[in-house]
Amino acid sequence: MSPRATDAVVTGSLLDQRLKTLLAPGTARALAALGPTTVGDLLRFYPRRYVDPGTLTALGDLVKGDRVVVVGEVLRASSRRTSGGKSLFEVTIGDGHDEMRMVFFAQHAGRLGYHQKVLQRGCRAWFRGTVGQYKGALELTHPEFEAIDDAALDERATWPKAVYPASASIDSFQVAKAVATVLGPLHPGEIDDPLPEDVRAAHHLLPLVEALNLVHLPHTDADWRAARQRLRFEEAFVLQTELVRRRAQAAGRLAAARPGRAGGLLEAFDARLPFTLTAGQRQVGAELAAELAQTAPMQRLLQGEVGSGKTVVALRAMLQVVDCGGQAALLAPTEVLAAQHLSTLRAMLGDLAQAGQLGAADQATAVTLLTGSQPAAVRRQALADAKSGAAGIVVGTHALLGDQVQFADLGLVVVDEQHRFGVEQRDTLRTKAATVPHTLVMTATPIPRTVAMTVFGDLETSTLSQVPAGRSPVTTHVVPADLPAWMARTWQRVADAARAGQRAYVVAPRIDPDDPDPPGSEYDDAPADAAGATERRPLASVVDVAARLAAEPALDGVGIGLLHGRMTSEAKDRAFADFASGRVPVLVATTVIEVGVDVPEATVMVVLDADRFGISQLHQLRGRVGRGSQPGLCLLVSSVVGSSNTADDAPAVARLKALEATTDGFELARLDLEQRREGDVLGAAQSGTASSLRLLRVTRDEDVIVTARAAAQRLLAADPDLSAHPALAQAIAARLTAGEDDFLDRA
Ligand code: ADP
Ligand code: MG
């Protein structure tokens, strides 16, 4: 028995009204466990799907094996024990012509109490399940079911039925009743609509209250489709308005224009480039050059396949800034990569980077490294060079973000290999400049346009799709870990490469066998070992594997090195140098080598427990080989392929198969996003029930996002501070207080 909602909602803010003041305590509690605690929450607790009574199958037309929804009246219901000692509850329904049996089993009779209570003789209900056959008669075993409210039946029999997320303590039908309680007294226009009327009109979208009514209580399929379309658009629009507004604000700040200089470093560098730039590099280069020449701060995302030559593009932009007396910072995700960038940049620049040294070119600058693990004296010097401006280019890790780091005139920030979504670094670095620095973010994992728009909504995107000529193809195979012959063959390939003067990487997910397993998969299919359901082999560790390979007859006499994050930086540098030079041609490593590492002689990449890695990680790892004249080979070793628990592991297998089938980064990025929890795509604050993106899927709703962004841009052009659109401003504010500015900040 719930108090009449109409009495309660006239006081206070309607949407903030607590459900426990409106509904029976048990119902409110059960709903709270599912998420909603206020009227506003419950109105936005949309049905998961709809059952269309138009597609009901008549009981006489059923075909074994079909998945069906049937409606009927319970003619007989009985409970008994099976010979196996289980409880069985059996119901026969009829539709006026034919009859059909519904069967429910349980270990304990108590489990069937709810079924027995609801499915009593004379009750009408719908059932959903797959048609099976027992002793010649068709039946449904354990169908989903829901009683049909008789009072509403006449009027509503033909309406699509909303199916809500439910739990053991509240079923979909009870949720629907609770929703009806708060929906009933809503008048059109009673809730301020964040979508302005002209936007609605332009895109043929329903007003808010009408959409809420139809999403919960549609009379036709067209109703709920229209309702969802409007609500989905609203989600995209509110988000894009905020992103576009942030972008406009950032663009409103001033950067120093760095137009470059005739006869400067950039010209000297171009003159000595040992290769011709690809058309893509030239085009993106021109884009960057033009933007750096402006006082509007550049905010650009450069995405380009592994090996597409992003570094040289970034370096040319950096030189343009240095030519104008400014400095550039290059931020790398790991020390290994930072150190490698330093040596790459110094090698490419030659005497152009030897300022202060004998034999430097006239206009030379200096390239300095700044990382967390440098000896104090080296670090002090690096800090001094950044502060005085002696270092035109400072390469570093997150240590660059430290408080003590100051620049004389930071003009450009380049963030490399930001292939994981969400980073705060850019903003921190920006604060180190007197004026706003220009920003270039580089990613090797292509990001679908919709995600770029949503996650990186304040960045413009450039793409390098072409890979320089002379790259070699990489073949990928999935190797079942449990087949000894395959593993022997794998180590033989490693040995062959090493003996042929090439290099091989062997990657493992852990450092030490005693380490706990790394946190589970990034995907929905987090492996069962978390719950202890299935026993798995312990994951491969660098230390273990290196020892095992040293004992492997095939690798007799072949040098095997180690590289992982717990080594000192000198040890890391040494291990990497030995590998690069070929002294130690096999490197067993963690994913520290995942990004950017560039050893042209590397031809074999073996990834152990490959199912534990994400698609983009594997694509990155694979990108470490085939960088020279020899074709590459990537072997993804996994014990889930060909094992018996394939049902649970299906998504992991699909990932590995996809990598085997294609090297197209865009295709892989799409599969990656589809498999990920939406929350991970947008940042932690987006996960779970707190997410305000209920209907919008960045992986699927490209059209909606593109349209909403354009509409948001138009609206903000006319009303930059949203003063004429308070409901929209409020909707944004509500989202931000829900903790979502977290991920917006990263964008
Ligand atoms: P990524 O985009 O993965 O960061 P890099 O910038 O590391 O790629 O480039 C990979 C390799 O390709 C480097 O050795 C680089 O010197 C080389 N490279 C870059 N551009 C070209 C080009 N236009 N022609 C030939 N080689 C190039
Ligand atoms: Mg790179």
Side-chain angles (χ1 to χ4, degrees), residues 223-297:
D223 282 351
W224 63 257
R225 290 212 177 90
R228 279 186 173 216
Q229 190 188 346
R230 131 91 224 192
L231 296 167
R232 189 180 290 128
F233 186 93
E234 177 190 326
E235 290 175 6
F237 183 75
V238 171
L239 187 57
Q240 291 300 332
T241 302
E242 179 57 9
L243 290 169
V244 171
R245 186 167 66 156
R246 286 183 183 218
R247 177 169 173 71
Q249 278 167 358
R253 291 182 296 174
L254 283 191
R258 317 277 182 176
R261 179 163 59 84
L265 274 173
L266 179 56
E267 273 184 17
F269 174 75
D270 280 348
R272 63 171 66 176
L273 251 186
F275 46 70
T276 345
L277 295 174
T278 64
Q281 283 172 323
R282 277 200 304 275
Q283 193 206 319
V284 174
E287 243 165 32
L288 300 184
E291 284 187 358
L292 292 172
Q294 307 290 318
T295 50

Side-chain angles (χ1 to χ4, degrees), residues 65 130 252 256 304 321 357 425 431 576 659:
T130 304
V321 169
Q357 297 174 39
Q425 281 96 324
T431 63
F576 195 71
L659 279 147

